[in-house]
Amino acid sequence: MDGEIPNIKRWVVLYPIYINSKKTIAEGRRIGVSKACENPTCVEIGDCCGHLKLPFAIEIDKAYPRDFMQRGRVRVLLKKEDGTLSNPAITSRKQLMLRIAELVPRHPGRTKKQEPASSSSTAGPSKGKGGRKKK
């Protein structure tokens, strides 16, 4: 475990903002809007890396310099010490971002969150009537 800590510094860094379709290129997005996903989180990106059989580490205490309010980043091992790829299907950082952006919308936690939100929004607008104050 002690030998692994210095190596993590050489892993590829992925901030969620890199694949966020709500951000502009000037704000930090690195892939096209059509291929990006909406508001990804570090945990979702980490789960996608696990699905792709890539070693990863989530760093919750780190933040992207241009958007320091959103916390967290993910470090991913693309190439091992000897130069071989961890996953032969993913050869570059750009390819990794594109694959993760495809997988995040299908993340199990994301599909569960959207169902209750749509049902609760229909009940919201029917609240209360404007009236006079009683004397």
Side-chain angles (χ1 to χ4, degrees), residues 47-54 86-87 90 96 99-100 103:
D47 289 346
C48 293
C49 290
H51 177 75
L52 295 170
K53 308 275 190 290
L54 291 169
S86 296
N87 183 347
I90 298 171
L96 175 65
R99 290 292 299 274
I100 289 175
L103 292 172

Side-chain angles (χ1 to χ4, degrees), residues 80-97:
K80 297 175 187 167
E81 289 285 326
D82 59 354
T84 60
L85 295 170
S86 296
N87 183 347
I90 298 171
T91 57
S92 68
R93 187 183 303 226
K94 183 96 166 185
Q95 228 177 2
L96 175 65
M97 286 188 270

Side-chain angles (χ1 to χ4, degrees), residues 109-128:
R110 188 168 277 238
T111 53
K112 290 176 188 172
K113 286 180 188 173
Q114 291 174 351
E115 291 169 9
S118 61
S119 63
S120 65
S121 63
T122 56
S126 63
K127 286 186 179 177

Side-chain angles (χ1 to χ4, degrees), residues 5-128:
I5 293 170
N7 295 343
I8 205 169
K9 300 260 185 219
R10 304 195 70 158
W11 292 10
V12 171
V13 174
L14 273 183
Y15 288 98
I17 212 162
Y18 288 176
I19 58 172
N20 191 346
S21 62
K22 296 285 187 183
K23 299 294 180 181
T24 63
I25 289 176
E27 290 172 326
R29 182 173 39 81
R30 301 249 175 126
I31 59 175
V33 177
S34 60
K35 294 177 179 155
C37 58
E38 192 173 318
N39 298 323
T41 64
C42 290
V43 175
E44 291 170 343
I45 292 172
D47 289 346
C48 293
C49 290
H51 177 75
L52 295 170
K53 308 275 190 290
L54 291 169
F56 68 94
I58 298 173
E59 297 176 325
I60 298 293
D61 57 328
K62 301 295 183 179
Y64 188 62
R66 290 187 220 164
D67 186 15
F68 55 88
M69 294 304 288
Q70 186 177 358
R71 307 297 287 178
R73 71 180 180 194
V74 181
R75 285 195 183 257
V76 184
L77 179 66
L78 283 183
K79 289 185 181 178
K80 297 175 187 167
E81 289 285 326
D82 59 354
T84 60
L85 295 170
S86 296
N87 183 347
I90 298 171
T91 57
S92 68
R93 187 183 303 226
K94 183 96 166 185
Q95 228 177 2
L96 175 65
M97 286 188 270
L98 292 170
R99 290 292 299 274
I100 289 175
E102 286 173 19
L103 292 172
V104 166
R106 293 181 278 173
H107 189 270
R110 188 168 277 238
T111 53
K112 290 176 188 172
K113 286 180 188 173
Q114 291 174 351
E115 291 169 9
S118 61
S119 63
S120 65
S121 63
T122 56
S126 63
K127 286 186 179 177

